[in-house]
Amino acid sequence: MAFATLVTLFVIPAMYRLISARTQSPGHVEAELNKALSHDVKARTSHGELNDV
């Protein structure tokens, strides 16, 4: 019983912290994709590839 308590209180939070340090929010990915799409549309419009935008 004491082992399970120690794992729950110390090991699990420590592992979560190690894993979460390498991640980013989903909003970050969305912002990067929107930025790339916006840049692509501007470049294609300026080169005459997209005339309807």
Side-chain angles (χ1 to χ4, degrees):
M1 182 93 162
F3 177 73
T5 302
L6 290 174
V7 169
T8 302
L9 292 176
F10 297 108
V11 176
I12 299 297
M15 297 305 279
Y16 178 78
R17 187 169 184 183
L18 289 173
I19 293 169
S20 67
R22 297 181 184 165
T23 61
Q24 296 176 345
S25 70
H28 174 75
V29 174
E30 180 183 7
E32 289 293 317
L33 289 172
N34 286 335
K35 180 179 170 184
L37 181 60
S38 173
H39 178 71
D40 184 54
V41 169
K42 288 179 185 175
R44 287 177 175 221
T45 302
S46 68
H47 288 102
E49 292 180 35
L50 299 175
N51 295 325
D52 297 334
V53 178

